[in-house]
Amino acid sequence: MNQITFDTRAAAQFIQPSEWSAIEPQVSAAAKLLERRKGPGNEFLGWLDLPVKYDRAEYRRVLAAAKRIQKQAEVLVVIGIGGSYLGAKAALDFCGHHFYNNLTSKGRRQWLGKNLPEIYFAGTNLSSAYLTHLIELIGDRSFAINVISKSGTTTEPAIAFRLFKKILESKYGVEEARKRIYATTDSHKGALKTLADQEGYETFVVPDDVGGRFSVLTPVGLLPVAAAGIDTNELLRGAADARARYKSAPFESNDVLQYVAARNILLRKGKEIELMVNYEPRLHYVAEWWKQLFGESEGKDGKGIFPASVDFTSDLHSMGQYIQDGRRHLFETVLEITDPGAEIVLEKETSDLDGLNYLAGLTLDEVNKKAAEGTRQAHLDGGVPNLTLHLPAGTPYHLGELFYFFEKACAISGYLLGVNPFDQPGVEAYKKNMFRLLGKKS
Ligand code: PA5
């Protein structure tokens, strides 16, 4: 089937048929609350229809800006944090070459048929070493900036932007620097919006009704992704198809509702931690994006499933022991990619000193999939329920489906838990202390 699918078969021993019937009316009620836009935070539901209802003219400007960046810069610095960073990073890694930045520009051109800039992220931390090394890495190469902040006031990206703006201005002069800065922010408020208007930067809007962690399919995610030569039309098409599918399907055949139900049944049995598992490195940042989405949306009022992630098989050699044998408060959601996008066949060697000849003739992916099968069985035997999301391939289309799948599941799950999935009051606590310690005037 050429679409993502969700599968609860490997959790059957942990979820009784009666539990599905018991939770079904609750999940359906939460879904209705979302569809009818009657739940808390309903002023932030713009993402629900985003794949089909977006500003076409602005989208064309995004694509044109991406082309301009490809022409004007060897390096694009994307500045943002949280929802203004993770979606783009996830998409670049999921759809792109694993060593995108390390390829020569010729290598990137051969791979995607275009001149593509190296892309680095800044504003994701307050590390002086990280920023210094990034500045060193860019050196005297041409660069452009995409600064992204919905509020326009977040400290980490604001500091990084101040630094890179200055470098850009001293390199090109103020006028030329302005043509190399692309700002993605609120339509009317915030320091970044004021600055962008004053300086005349090309500006893109994070819609008022779309919160940061739900903003990947707005210019927040689309501009960096398009600059990397990834097909954003496909990303949006995948999300649009997912929207149509999950809007109309009944509980039994609606993968979003099934996922919401399964994870909440497991939570009620003490499975308080959801481990997002992958066997392909391209999925690492998809899990990081997912962690922010679910962590910030559900983790409030003393409630929520703790979202964590592991990269297998590497983490089987570090976290494997705990998962197999530690406290039984975990369940796993495994992201499985059917077609890994490359093939390596293992060959026979005459000496067989490493003892691997028994694998000769198999592809590495077949070995990977057996590792996944063996792990699933071991974890089930160890009392860890497994849910599975099958992805046909690492394409923009399937990533679009996946983004939408998780966004919708997250909103419904939040309502099921009885929280407002669209606010994040807890994020302010550290900021207040930091500003007080730094002597910021309110
Ligand atoms: O989901 C959210 O709203 C937050 O995590 C934000 O994405 C994050 O704090 C960055 O905010 P901003 O885009 O306003 O700089």
Side-chain angles (χ1 to χ4, degrees), residues 12 32 45 60 120 123 125 136 150 160 180 186 192 200 235 295 328 340 343 390:
K32 242 180 226 145
L45 295 183
R60 280 193 294 276
Y120 297 101
N125 56 57
E136 278 169 16
K150 180 173 161 73
R180 290 168 174 269
D186 191 85
L192 180 58
L235 194 67
R328 301 298 72 194
E343 189 176 277
H390 302 280

Side-chain angles (χ1 to χ4, degrees), residues 81-84 148-152 154 157 211-213 292 296 424:
I81 195 167
S84 292
I148 309 168
S149 177
K150 180 173 161 73
S151 65
T154 309
R213 57 190 174 275
Q292 187 209 0
E296 277 192 0
Q424 54 283 328

Side-chain angles (χ1 to χ4, degrees), residues 79-86 123 148-158 184-185 192 206 210-215 220 292-293 296-297 422-424 427-428 430-431:
I79 300 177
I81 195 167
S84 292
Y85 150 62
L86 287 163
I148 309 168
S149 177
K150 180 173 161 73
S151 65
T153 55
T154 309
T155 311
E156 293 90 337
T184 308
T185 188
L192 180 58
V206 194
V210 180
R213 57 190 174 275
F214 288 83
S215 70
V220 170
Q292 187 209 0
L293 182 68
E296 277 192 0
S297 302
F422 305 109
D423 64 3
Q424 54 283 328
V427 180
E428 294 311 309
Y430 98 92
K431 291 186 193 167

Side-chain angles (χ1 to χ4, degrees), residues 61-71 117 182 222-223 226-228:
R61 270 199 313 116
V62 166
L63 299 183
K67 278 203 180 120
R68 214 171 321 124
I69 291 169
Q70 289 165 1
K71 285 204 184 99
Y182 302 84
L222 297 175
L223 179 54

Side-chain angles (χ1 to χ4, degrees), residues 35 37 47-53 237-249 400-401 404-405 408:
E35 296 292 354
R37 298 171 186 258
W47 56 272
L48 254 182
D49 293 330
L50 203 55
V52 289
K53 208 168 133 195
R237 191 172 70 86
D241 286 354
R243 174 185 165 275
R245 199 156 65 230
Y246 304 136
K247 199 178 165 72
S248 52
E401 291 185 283
Y404 196 88
F405 173 90
K408 186 150 193 189

Side-chain angles (χ1 to χ4, degrees), residues 98-354:
H98 279 86
F99 303 99
Y100 175 91
N101 279 334
N102 307 94
L103 290 172
T104 58
S105 46
K106 190 170 159 217
R108 275 196 293 279
R109 197 165 46 246
Q110 275 169 352
W111 186 58
L112 270 174
K114 294 179 202 162
N115 278 328
L116 298 170
E118 289 173 29
I119 299 183
Y120 297 101
F121 291 88
T124 61
N125 56 57
L126 291 167
S127 162
S128 43
Y130 180 92
L131 286 176
T132 305
H133 293 171
L134 181 53
I135 292 164
E136 278 169 16
L137 180 74
I138 296 169
D140 58 8
R141 292 184 295 162
S142 58
F143 78 101
I145 298 172
N146 178 200
V147 54
I148 309 168
S149 177
K150 180 173 161 73
S151 65
T153 55
T154 309
T155 311
E156 293 90 337
I159 291 176
F161 182 50
R162 191 181 261 223
L163 286 171
F164 280 101
K165 175 174 171 282
K166 189 163 175 232
I167 298 170
L168 206 59
E169 286 175 350
S170 46
K171 189 178 170 87
Y172 296 103
V174 175
E175 264 314 303
E176 175 59 24
R178 283 179 183 146
K179 296 184 192 140
R180 290 168 174 269
I181 296 175
Y182 302 84
T184 308
T185 188
D186 191 85
S187 59
H188 49 276
K189 61 176 191 308
L192 180 58
K193 174 65 181 158
T194 313
L195 182 68
D197 284 351
Q198 234 164 62
E199 297 282 334
Y201 303 148
E202 168 132 38
T203 304
F204 301 98
V205 170
V206 194
D208 290 349
D209 56 359
V210 180
R213 57 190 174 275
F214 288 83
S215 70
V216 60
L217 298 175
T218 73
V220 170
L222 297 175
L223 179 54
V225 168
I230 293 166
D231 190 342
T232 47
N233 291 334
E234 276 299 280
L235 194 67
L236 289 167
R237 191 172 70 86
D241 286 354
R243 174 185 165 275
R245 199 156 65 230
Y246 304 136
K247 199 178 165 72
S248 52
F251 181 76
E252 309 71 46
S253 58
N254 189 319
D255 281 352
V256 163
L257 302 185
Q258 294 282 305
Y259 174 56
V260 172
R263 64 197 295 280
N264 282 281
I265 291 171
L266 294 170
L267 172 66
R268 292 170 195 189
K269 299 183 159 180
K271 305 294 183 191
E272 294 166 351
I273 298 174
E274 179 173 7
L275 278 180
M276 188 61 62
V277 174
N278 72 74
Y279 287 82
E280 287 289 340
R282 69 173 69 247
L283 283 161
H284 175 88
Y285 269 94
V286 169
E288 295 300 314
W289 170 84
W290 167 85
K291 283 196 287 198
Q292 187 209 0
L293 182 68
F294 278 79
E296 277 192 0
S297 302
E298 289 190 327
K300 52 197 70 158
D301 309 334
K303 299 177 186 167
I305 296 174
F306 184 81
S309 62
V310 280
D311 298 325
F312 287 169
T313 58
S314 60
D315 287 339
L316 285 171
H317 299 260
S318 56
M319 300 293 284
Q321 173 61 38
Y322 190 107
I323 299 168
Q324 187 65 46
D325 217 13
R327 282 190 62 202
R328 301 298 72 194
H329 54 173
L330 308 164
F331 69 97
E332 291 176 319
T333 299
V334 184
L335 298 173
E336 272 189 12
I337 299 189
T338 310
D339 176 1
E343 189 176 277
I344 293 177
V345 180
L346 298 167
E347 290 174 1
K348 197 169 186 155
E349 277 188 7
T350 14
S351 61
D352 196 26
L353 287 177
D354 55 12

